[in-house]
Amino acid sequence: MEQIPLEKVESYLAKGFDRRSAEYFATGRRRILSVSAGEDFTLRLVFDNQEVRRLDCKPFLQEGTVFAPFLDPENFRRVYLDDCHCVAWDIDPAVDSEEVWSNKVDLCPDSCYMDSIPV
């Protein structure tokens, strides 16, 4: 297990971060190398430290939100990593999200790491 530098954690806490976030940022941000969708609306994420984690997406896959289209398992499985290594989905796969930014829904790597569990 990685030793967390206490002075770095304290500096993040002093800036208003909660303990979980302070510990994450104190050890360095993670980059997602790959993502794949599970049958149960979970994502399998591989990070740059070789850690494999599982993210349960059910809590934010709700009607009336930007994530509503991905309640359909077929749409959920269209997950990919964008050029910033964020987990992403295109609302309409026929539209280029590089040209129509409002077509893409994404999750930042930091929240994906902090909200996921080791496999």
Side-chain angles (χ1 to χ4, degrees):
M1 181 171 212
E2 186 174 351
Q3 182 67 25
I4 300 173
L6 186 58
E7 60 280 351
K8 282 188 172 183
V9 172
E10 295 298 327
S11 72
Y12 281 105
L13 290 171
K15 294 175 184 172
F17 286 69
D18 62 44
R19 177 150 302 274
R20 182 178 69 123
S21 298
E23 289 175 355
Y24 167 76
F25 285 104
T27 59
R29 299 175 75 182
R30 303 286 184 245
R31 184 178 205 172
I32 302 172
L33 299 179
S34 69
V35 62
S36 57
E39 295 299 318
D40 56 352
F41 294 103
T42 60
L43 298 175
R44 180 182 183 276
L45 304 163
V46 178
F47 288 87
D48 59 354
N49 63 350
Q50 305 313 310
E51 193 171 353
V52 179
R53 299 178 69 91
R54 185 176 61 85
L55 178 65
D56 181 1
C57 297
K58 290 182 290 294
F60 55 82
L61 294 175
Q62 303 293 323
E63 289 294 341
T65 71
V66 295
F67 293 101
F70 311 110
L71 285 165
D72 176 333
E74 186 175 318
N75 290 339
F76 183 77
R77 285 190 295 272
R78 288 190 285 107
V79 67
Y80 65 95
L81 289 181
D82 69 10
D83 59 344
C84 296
H85 291 263
C86 296
V87 170
W89 292 269
D90 293 329
I91 296 168
D92 180 346
V95 174
D96 182 354
S97 290
E98 294 297 316
E99 292 185 27
V100 182
W101 66 268
S102 60
N103 186 55
K104 183 169 77 172
V105 177
D106 61 6
L107 302 172
C108 87
D110 300 325
S111 63
C112 285
Y113 187 88
M114 288 187 289
D115 294 338
S116 62
I117 58 171
V119 172

Short mmCIF file of all heavy atoms in Angstrom, two decimals, residues 82-110:
data_model
loop_
_atom_site.label_atom_id
_atom_site.label_comp_id
_atom_site.label_asym_id
_atom_site.label_seq_id
_atom_site.Cartn_x
_atom_site.Cartn_y
_atom_site.Cartn_z
N ASP A 82 -12.09 9.60 -23.92
CA ASP A 82 -11.87 10.69 -24.87
C ASP A 82 -10.40 11.09 -24.87
O ASP A 82 -9.57 10.46 -24.20
CB ASP A 82 -12.82 11.86 -24.59
CG ASP A 82 -12.52 12.60 -23.29
OD1 ASP A 82 -11.48 12.35 -22.66
OD2 ASP A 82 -13.37 13.44 -22.91
N ASP A 83 -10.06 12.14 -25.61
CA ASP A 83 -8.66 12.54 -25.75
C ASP A 83 -8.05 13.08 -24.45
O ASP A 83 -6.84 13.22 -24.35
CB ASP A 83 -8.48 13.53 -26.90
CG ASP A 83 -9.31 14.79 -26.71
OD1 ASP A 83 -10.24 14.80 -25.89
OD2 ASP A 83 -9.03 15.78 -27.42
N CYS A 84 -8.88 13.36 -23.45
CA CYS A 84 -8.39 13.82 -22.14
C CYS A 84 -8.38 12.69 -21.12
O CYS A 84 -8.21 12.92 -19.93
CB CYS A 84 -9.26 14.97 -21.63
SG CYS A 84 -9.19 16.43 -22.66
N HIS A 85 -8.62 11.47 -21.58
CA HIS A 85 -8.69 10.27 -20.74
C HIS A 85 -9.85 10.32 -19.75
O HIS A 85 -9.78 9.76 -18.67
CB HIS A 85 -7.36 10.00 -20.03
CG HIS A 85 -6.30 9.59 -20.99
ND1 HIS A 85 -5.99 8.27 -21.21
CD2 HIS A 85 -5.51 10.30 -21.81
CE1 HIS A 85 -5.04 8.21 -22.13
NE2 HIS A 85 -4.74 9.42 -22.51
N CYS A 86 -10.92 11.01 -20.15
CA CYS A 86 -12.16 11.00 -19.39
C CYS A 86 -13.05 9.88 -19.92
O CYS A 86 -13.03 9.59 -21.12
CB CYS A 86 -12.91 12.33 -19.54
SG CYS A 86 -12.03 13.75 -18.86
N VAL A 87 -13.83 9.29 -19.04
CA VAL A 87 -14.84 8.31 -19.46
C VAL A 87 -15.93 9.10 -20.17
O VAL A 87 -16.37 10.14 -19.67
CB VAL A 87 -15.41 7.57 -18.24
CG1 VAL A 87 -16.60 6.73 -18.62
CG2 VAL A 87 -14.33 6.73 -17.58
N ALA A 88 -16.35 8.64 -21.36
CA ALA A 88 -17.29 9.43 -22.14
C ALA A 88 -18.29 8.56 -22.90
O ALA A 88 -18.02 7.38 -23.17
CB ALA A 88 -16.54 10.32 -23.13
N TRP A 89 -19.42 9.17 -23.20
CA TRP A 89 -20.44 8.57 -24.06
C TRP A 89 -20.92 9.66 -25.00
O TRP A 89 -21.03 10.83 -24.62
CB TRP A 89 -21.66 8.11 -23.27
CG TRP A 89 -21.48 6.98 -22.34
CD1 TRP A 89 -21.66 5.65 -22.61
CD2 TRP A 89 -21.12 7.05 -20.95
NE1 TRP A 89 -21.43 4.90 -21.48
CE2 TRP A 89 -21.11 5.73 -20.45
CE3 TRP A 89 -20.81 8.09 -20.07
CZ2 TRP A 89 -20.80 5.43 -19.13
CZ3 TRP A 89 -20.49 7.80 -18.77
CH2 TRP A 89 -20.49 6.49 -18.31
N ASP A 90 -21.23 9.30 -26.23
CA ASP A 90 -21.88 10.22 -27.17
C ASP A 90 -23.38 9.96 -27.08
O ASP A 90 -23.82 8.81 -27.14
CB ASP A 90 -21.39 9.98 -28.59
CG ASP A 90 -19.93 10.34 -28.77
OD1 ASP A 90 -19.46 11.26 -28.07
OD2 ASP A 90 -19.27 9.71 -29.61
N ILE A 91 -24.15 11.03 -26.91
CA ILE A 91 -25.60 10.88 -26.83
C ILE A 91 -26.13 10.32 -28.14
O ILE A 91 -26.90 9.36 -28.15
CB ILE A 91 -26.25 12.24 -26.48
CG1 ILE A 91 -25.79 12.67 -25.07
CG2 ILE A 91 -27.78 12.14 -26.56
CD1 ILE A 91 -26.12 14.09 -24.71
N ASP A 92 -25.71 10.89 -29.24
CA ASP A 92 -26.08 10.39 -30.57
C ASP A 92 -24.79 9.92 -31.24
O ASP A 92 -23.92 10.74 -31.58
CB ASP A 92 -26.73 11.50 -31.39
CG ASP A 92 -27.15 11.05 -32.78
OD1 ASP A 92 -26.73 9.96 -33.24
OD2 ASP A 92 -27.93 11.79 -33.41
N PRO A 93 -24.62 8.62 -31.44
CA PRO A 93 -23.37 8.13 -32.03
C PRO A 93 -23.12 8.60 -33.46
O PRO A 93 -21.99 8.52 -33.94
CB PRO A 93 -23.51 6.61 -31.96
CG PRO A 93 -24.96 6.35 -31.81
CD PRO A 93 -25.56 7.55 -31.15
N ALA A 94 -24.14 9.12 -34.12
CA ALA A 94 -23.98 9.60 -35.49
C ALA A 94 -23.44 11.03 -35.54
O ALA A 94 -23.11 11.53 -36.60
CB ALA A 94 -25.32 9.52 -36.23
N VAL A 95 -23.35 11.67 -34.37
CA VAL A 95 -22.88 13.06 -34.31
C VAL A 95 -21.46 13.08 -33.77
O VAL A 95 -21.15 12.40 -32.79
CB VAL A 95 -23.81 13.91 -33.40
CG1 VAL A 95 -23.26 15.30 -33.20
CG2 VAL A 95 -25.23 13.95 -33.98
N ASP A 96 -20.60 13.86 -34.40
CA ASP A 96 -19.20 13.98 -33.96
C ASP A 96 -19.13 14.91 -32.75
O ASP A 96 -19.37 16.12 -32.87
CB ASP A 96 -18.35 14.53 -35.11
CG ASP A 96 -16.88 14.64 -34.75
OD1 ASP A 96 -16.51 14.41 -33.58
OD2 ASP A 96 -16.09 14.97 -35.66
N SER A 97 -18.81 14.35 -31.60
CA SER A 97 -18.76 15.15 -30.37
C SER A 97 -17.59 16.12 -30.34
O SER A 97 -17.56 17.02 -29.51
CB SER A 97 -18.70 14.23 -29.15
OG SER A 97 -19.93 13.57 -28.99
N GLU A 98 -16.63 15.95 -31.24
CA GLU A 98 -15.55 16.93 -31.35
C GLU A 98 -16.07 18.22 -31.98
O GLU A 98 -15.54 19.29 -31.72
CB GLU A 98 -14.39 16.37 -32.19
CG GLU A 98 -13.69 15.18 -31.55
CD GLU A 98 -13.03 15.54 -30.22
OE1 GLU A 98 -12.38 16.59 -30.14
OE2 GLU A 98 -13.19 14.76 -29.27
N GLU A 99 -17.10 18.11 -32.81
CA GLU A 99 -17.68 19.29 -33.46
C GLU A 99 -18.90 19.81 -32.71
O GLU A 99 -19.17 21.00 -32.72
CB GLU A 99 -18.04 18.97 -34.91
CG GLU A 99 -16.82 18.72 -35.75
CD GLU A 99 -17.16 18.51 -37.21
OE1 GLU A 99 -18.20 19.03 -37.66
OE2 GLU A 99 -16.37 17.85 -37.89
N VAL A 100 -19.67 18.91 -32.09
CA VAL A 100 -20.87 19.30 -31.34
C VAL A 100 -20.65 18.88 -29.89
O VAL A 100 -20.96 17.76 -29.50
CB VAL A 100 -22.14 18.62 -31.92
CG1 VAL A 100 -23.39 19.06 -31.16
CG2 VAL A 100 -22.27 18.91 -33.41
N TRP A 101 -20.05 19.79 -29.12
CA TRP A 101 -19.62 19.44 -27.76
C TRP A 101 -20.78 19.00 -26.87
O TRP A 101 -20.59 18.20 -25.96
CB TRP A 101 -18.86 20.59 -27.11
CG TRP A 101 -19.72 21.80 -26.86
CD1 TRP A 101 -19.90 22.85 -27.70
CD2 TRP A 101 -20.52 22.05 -25.72
NE1 TRP A 101 -20.77 23.75 -27.17
CE2 TRP A 101 -21.17 23.28 -25.93
CE3 TRP A 101 -20.77 21.37 -24.53
CZ2 TRP A 101 -22.05 23.85 -25.00
CZ3 TRP A 101 -21.64 21.93 -23.61
CH2 TRP A 101 -22.26 23.16 -23.85
N SER A 102 -21.99 19.49 -27.13
CA SER A 102 -23.14 19.14 -26.28
C SER A 102 -23.63 17.72 -26.53
O SER A 102 -24.56 17.26 -25.86
CB SER A 102 -24.28 20.14 -26.50
OG SER A 102 -24.70 20.12 -27.86
N ASN A 103 -23.00 16.99 -27.44
CA ASN A 103 -23.39 15.61 -27.71
C ASN A 103 -22.69 14.62 -26.77
O ASN A 103 -23.07 13.47 -26.69
CB ASN A 103 -23.05 15.25 -29.17
CG ASN A 103 -23.55 13.88 -29.55
OD1 ASN A 103 -24.74 13.59 -29.43
ND2 ASN A 103 -22.65 13.02 -30.00
N LYS A 104 -21.69 15.09 -26.03
CA LYS A 104 -20.89 14.19 -25.21
C LYS A 104 -21.19 14.39 -23.72
O LYS A 104 -21.33 15.50 -23.24
CB LYS A 104 -19.40 14.43 -25.46
CG LYS A 104 -18.51 13.49 -24.68
CD LYS A 104 -17.06 13.55 -25.14
CE LYS A 104 -16.37 14.77 -24.61
NZ LYS A 104 -14.92 14.74 -24.88
N VAL A 105 -21.27 13.27 -23.00
CA VAL A 105 -21.38 13.27 -21.54
C VAL A 105 -20.13 12.57 -21.03
O VAL A 105 -19.75 11.52 -21.54
CB VAL A 105 -22.65 12.50 -21.09
CG1 VAL A 105 -22.73 12.43 -19.59
CG2 VAL A 105 -23.90 13.14 -21.68
N ASP A 106 -19.47 13.19 -20.03
CA ASP A 106 -18.23 12.56 -19.56
C ASP A 106 -18.10 12.61 -18.04
O ASP A 106 -18.81 13.33 -17.36
CB ASP A 106 -17.01 13.17 -20.24
CG ASP A 106 -16.84 14.65 -19.98
OD1 ASP A 106 -17.59 15.23 -19.17
OD2 ASP A 106 -15.95 15.26 -20.59
N LEU A 107 -17.16 11.80 -17.56
CA LEU A 107 -16.82 11.72 -16.14
C LEU A 107 -15.33 11.97 -16.01
O LEU A 107 -14.54 11.40 -16.78
CB LEU A 107 -17.13 10.32 -15.58
CG LEU A 107 -18.56 9.82 -15.69
CD1 LEU A 107 -18.61 8.35 -15.27
CD2 LEU A 107 -19.48 10.66 -14.83
N CYS A 108 -14.93 12.77 -15.05
CA CYS A 108 -13.50 13.06 -14.90
C CYS A 108 -12.78 11.89 -14.25
O CYS A 108 -13.36 11.16 -13.42
CB CYS A 108 -13.28 14.36 -14.14
SG CYS A 108 -13.22 14.22 -12.38
N PRO A 109 -11.52 11.68 -14.60
CA PRO A 109 -10.75 10.57 -14.04
C PRO A 109 -10.64 10.61 -12.51
O PRO A 109 -10.64 9.57 -11.86
CB PRO A 109 -9.37 10.72 -14.69
CG PRO A 109 -9.64 11.45 -15.95
CD PRO A 109 -10.78 12.38 -15.65
N ASP A 110 -10.57 11.81 -11.94
CA ASP A 110 -10.44 11.92 -10.49
C ASP A 110 -11.65 11.34 -9.78
O ASP A 110 -11.52 10.53 -8.86
CB ASP A 110 -10.24 13.39 -10.06
CG ASP A 110 -9.00 14.01 -10.67
OD1 ASP A 110 -7.99 13.30 -10.84
OD2 ASP A 110 -9.04 15.21 -10.98
#
